[in-house]
Structure formats: structure tokens, C-alpha cells
Amino acid sequence: MTATRSYDVAVIGAGVFGAWTAWHLAKRKQRVLLIEAHGPAHSRASSGGETRIIRMSYGADEIYTQWSQNSLRQWKELFAETGERLFQDTGVLWLAGPDDATLQRSKGTLQSCGVNHEILERRELEKRYPQVNFDAVSRGLLEPESGVLLARRAVTRTVESALRLGAQLQIAQILPPRGAKKLEFIECSAGVRISAGSFVFACGPWLGKVFPDLLGTRIFPTRQEVFFFGTPPGDTRFAPPALPTWLFQADEVYGMPDIESRGLKMARDTHGERVDPDTQSRLVSREGAEWARSFVARRFPALKDAPIVETRVCQYENTSNGDFLIDRHPELSNVWLAGGGSGHGFKHGPAFGEYITAMILGERSAEPRFSLASKTTQQKRTVY
Ligand SMILES: Cc1cc2nc3c(=O)[nH]c(=O)nc-3n(C[C@H](O)[C@H](O)[C@H](O)COP(=O)(O)OP(=O)(O)OC[C@H]3O[C@@H](n4cnc5c(N)ncnc54)[C@H](O)[C@@H]3O)c2cc1C
């Protein structure tokens, strides 16, 4: 065993949640070590994609609307510091099927939270976006100031900013922790011990592997395939500002316009099969590619023969209902479980880091929706 090093807080995992947790802790003058097995937002991490949507609509779930508002402010401040355009205000367009109840609930929440938005009736949608087939869509809700985060790079910049604030980064794999009542130290696979006052495990889809007894059946990593379609040469109809980021609610499919010339991105929001993030294949399936082609041909008829120019296979790290998991370990009083982004967590990184920092510093009460006790072993999604 080699030397022991000591910190106020050790954060394990440099995805979006761990990165912002380290950032907020460092901002509050805590001595922080961020430990990551591969590197910030690496290609197997849930935060490792090129782009993620940031939107304010969450039906009646005001807490997430407020977190999105708070987070977008902080993302913009970070990007102003780095001088890069890692947020693109493409606008986000929600498209309701015949049942528009969720859209109406979002409208009420956006109104009470002061978020700029516009309801677009079907005729208006067809006029503004003639490149889209709105078959079976009743109406839309446009958030003109929401858009897309350049995800992978945004996490890297968060980590770099945290390092400037005094945090340290170490590339190492942490072994599942052992202890009773209080955790004294964690061990790297290389044998180094790290002691800290508190430990935050922000291990995303790996949480169930780090805490198999506690979380093995409470975190559901699911396979998610993502497709990029090449747009015709010289055709700007599928790039911003002509096309916003879009979500067909009844189809449970979302996507975004051509960002940085990667093509039209689209993916299913339905949960795929349960997977292991270390071993799942990163090649898309033939069935998935065929489905993606037919969806694009139906909703974007001019792209019916468009080539698939890029693909990604990632995983959601779902809790039973989609609410985040931010809570103390039930037996180890100085260990925090931090994850459960459930396919919608990326945008909330800044507010997530701020919340857990306040919890660790004993400055706020716990939000019951983020408790371990509220997470069951049956998947029943309620947060979208
Ligand atoms: C295809 C796809 C599309 C998505 N779209 C959106 C979207 O549009 N908008 C949105 O807001 N959200 C979206 N999400 C969800 C969002 O990306 C995730 O909720 C979020 O990135 C989770 O971040 P995380 O930090 O919890 O996990 P991760 O990014 O996976 O980070 C966990 C880190 O912990 C490290 N780690 C694990 N175990 C150990 C260990 N033992 N030792 C050291 N390090 C360890 C891993 O290497 C990893 O880097 C999407 C997710 C996917 C997969």
C-alpha cells in the first residue's frame, strides 16, 4: 500500500454531475480531489456525447424547470469565462400528439417560472417549418431561448475551471468502498489510499457496480442508440435557425438540427435493453438503423434518402421513476450517492453540483424526491 492523501471531499466520477460537484465545492474553498477512471466525459460515459438538449419544460414538475433555469445561467457564465460557444440557442420545440395535456401543464409551469415561450397551432407549425411533417401533431410549444449544450467539451471546461479554483484531478479507478458507519478512505486499483471528510460517488451508470447490494437493482442502465443524418449539399433547412431542436412527444423521439455540421441528430427516448456500460457494444443495431431511417423519412421527407453519417451508442442511468438520486449512503454517514440522471440529467449539472455542495456543507434540507428511499426496484417512469 502506498501513501495516503487527505482531502475535505473526494468526488468519484468526472461526468457532468461529478464535474459540477467538484466545481461548486472548490468554489466554496473545499480541498477537493476529483477521481476519474478514464477522463472527463469519455466516450463510454453518459456525459460523453457531442450534444445534449437544455430545455425548461417538465410538465408540472416545477423543480426541474427551476433547476434548468438556474443551470442555464451557470452554463452561460462558464462559457463566457472560456470564451467558447458551447451553448447554442437553437430554440426547443415540443410537439404534442392528439393529447396535449403535458404540453398544457408545461405551459402553466413556464408561465409561473417566467420562461419565455410560445404556443404554436398546427397551421402555424406548418407555415414556419415546411420541412417537417406534423402528421398527428395537435400543437407545439416553442422555448425560443433554450437549445443545445456541446456536452463533452462542456464537461471538460467545467473540470478545467474547477482545477483553476483549486480542485485536483486524478485518473484512477476506485474500488468498491468498504467500511462501517463512516468511510475512512477509498482505494485506487493502483493501491493508493485516499482519505477525505466526505466522499461523493458520482459514478453514473456504474453506480450499481460500485454499490451492487444497494444500487444494483435501483439504477437501470439502458442502451440508447443515436443517429446523425447527412443533409443535402447547400441545404440549410435542417440547420439553425431554420430548424429548432425538437421533441415529438407521442412518438417519444427527439432530435436537433445540424450542429457543427454533424447532421440532423435523432434518437428514441424510450428505454432500451438493460446493459453493462463496460461491455455493451457501441455499434448501432440493424433494427435501430432501419427504424431511424423510416422515422426520418416520415417526419423529414426531404431526408428520406439521407445517409447515416455518424452514430453513437450510450446508456441512460435511470432511477425507477426518473428523479435524481442525491442522498447519503444509508450506512456510511459521510458517503453521498449522486446520480440517476435518467436520460435528462445533463442540463442540470450546475444545479446538481450546487445542491449537493449545500447538502454536504449542512446548509440546506433534503429534497424528498432525490432520496434513496423514494427509489424502488421497479421501473415506472414519471419524469420526462
Ligand atoms: C444518448 C443520451 C442522450 C441524452 N440526452 C440528454 C439531453 O438531451 N439532455 C439532458 O439533459 N440529458 C441527456 N442525457 C442524460 C445525461 O447525459 C446523463 O444523465 C448525464 O450525463 C449523467 O452524468 P453522470 O455524471 O451521472 O454520469 P457519467 O457521465 O457516466 O459519469 C460517471 C463517471 O464516473 C466514472 N466512474 C464510474 N465508476 C468509477 C470508479 N470506480 N472509479 C473512478 N471513476 C468511476 C466513469 O468513468 C464516468 O466518467 C442523455 C443521455 C444519453 C445516454
Side-chain angles (χ1 to χ4, degrees):
M1 189 66 53
T2 47
T4 302
R5 290 185 292 136
S6 188
Y7 296 87
D8 292 326
V9 187
V11 179
I12 300 99
V16 74
F17 289 161
W20 274 103
T21 300
W23 190 93
H24 277 286
L25 286 164
K27 185 88 179 162
R28 300 296 305 278
K29 309 279 181 234
Q30 299 295 296
R31 285 175 303 132
V32 186
L33 179 65
L34 178 60
I35 309 153
E36 166 55 52
H38 298 283
H42 59 89
S43 55
R44 276 172 280 182
S46 293
S47 308
E50 293 298 315
T51 44
R52 294 285 184 261
I53 301 172
I54 181 159
R55 37 93 178 179
M56 307 295 142
S57 291
Y58 267 93
D61 270 338
E62 194 165 310
I63 186 171
Y64 289 115
T65 299
Q66 289 172 346
W67 274 38
S68 280
Q69 290 178 285
N70 174 3
S71 293
L72 183 54
R73 267 194 302 276
Q74 296 192 48
W75 282 118
K76 285 180 176 173
E77 280 167 19
L78 174 76
F79 302 151
E81 183 192 317
T82 67
E84 283 171 293
R85 204 173 152 241
L86 299 181
F87 165 65
Q88 298 205 8
D89 55 350
T90 61
V92 171
L93 179 63
W94 290 85
L95 297 160
D99 174 8
D100 73 344
T102 306
L103 192 139
Q104 293 299 346
R105 282 194 285 272
S106 288
K107 179 177 181 304
T109 311
L110 297 184
Q111 259 159 359
S112 62
C113 291
V115 178
N116 197 3
H117 64 282
E118 195 181 349
I119 295 290
L120 302 175
E121 297 302 334
R122 170 81 176 263
R123 198 170 308 155
E124 181 61 20
L125 288 168
E126 286 168 346
K127 202 164 120 204
R128 284 199 203 180
Y129 311 110
Q131 70 280 49
V132 183
N133 170 7
F134 293 106
D135 178 30
V137 167
S138 56
R139 55 184 53 84
L141 185 158
L142 178 68
E143 301 176 19
E145 287 149 29
S146 299
V148 172
L149 295 160
L150 280 294
R152 178 177 63 75
R153 277 179 281 159
V155 174
T156 304
R157 296 301 170 262
T158 309
V159 171
E160 288 166 357
S161 180
L163 299 186
R164 283 196 293 279
L165 290 169
Q168 293 176 32
L169 173 67
Q170 182 172 343
I171 300 298
Q173 185 184 28
I174 296 305
L175 302 177
R178 286 171 295 156
K181 293 198 177 153
K182 196 164 178 236
L183 189 63
E184 300 300 336
F185 60 83
I186 48 176
E187 268 177 70
C188 302
S189 44
V192 178
R193 282 184 176 181
I194 295 160
S195 61
S198 302
F199 298 87
V200 178
F201 285 85
C203 300
W206 286 268
L207 273 172
K209 297 182 88 168
V210 179
F211 298 99
D213 296 341
L214 191 63
L215 299 180
T217 54
R218 283 193 172 83
I219 296 287
F220 307 84
T222 56
R223 177 180 168 87
Q224 307 298 144
E225 297 189 344
V226 180
F227 299 87
F228 295 78
F229 283 83
T231 56
D235 189 340
T236 57
R237 289 175 296 166
F238 302 98
L243 184 68
T245 294
W246 46 270
L247 301 98
F248 282 97
Q249 286 178 309
D251 299 344
E252 294 190 73
V253 179
Y254 67 91
M256 56 185 69
D258 185 4
I259 305 283
E260 295 193 327
S261 312
R262 308 326 296 163
L264 179 103
K265 174 179 171 178
M266 57 86 65
R268 262 195 272 225
D269 190 39
T270 43
H271 294 170
E273 63 178 301
R274 191 184 178 106
V275 288
D276 179 327
D278 287 314
T279 57
Q280 76 152 321
S281 163
R282 301 289 165 169
L283 302 177
V284 295
S285 62
R286 183 188 295 264
E287 176 275 329
E290 277 167 16
W291 164 82
R293 279 203 184 89
S294 68
F295 181 88
V296 166
R298 172 173 170 233
R299 290 298 186 191
F300 303 95
L303 296 182
K304 86 173 167 30
D305 297 318
I308 293 176
V309 288
E310 275 184 37
T311 59
R312 283 191 65 83
V313 178
C314 191
Q315 63 283 311
Y316 286 173
E317 58 304 306
N318 307 292
T319 58
S320 49
N321 73 343
D323 273 327
F324 302 151
L325 168 61
I326 317 175
D327 201 355
R328 271 181 213 277
H329 190 286
E331 281 142 31
L332 299 166
S333 61
N334 61 338
V335 169
W336 292 85
L337 309 168
S342 306
H344 70 104
F346 191 92
K347 66 182 81 56
H348 298 291
F352 189 108
E354 192 172 42
Y355 172 91
I356 195 166
T357 295
M359 290 294 295
I360 292 168
L361 298 179
E363 294 173 348
R364 60 158 298 154
S365 56
E367 163 56 50
R369 290 183 67 167
F370 301 147
S371 68
L372 176 64
S374 67
K375 310 295 180 286
T376 72
T377 55
Q378 298 297 319
Q379 265 190 292
K380 197 165 184 301
R381 188 175 182 184
T382 57
V383 180
Y384 287 87

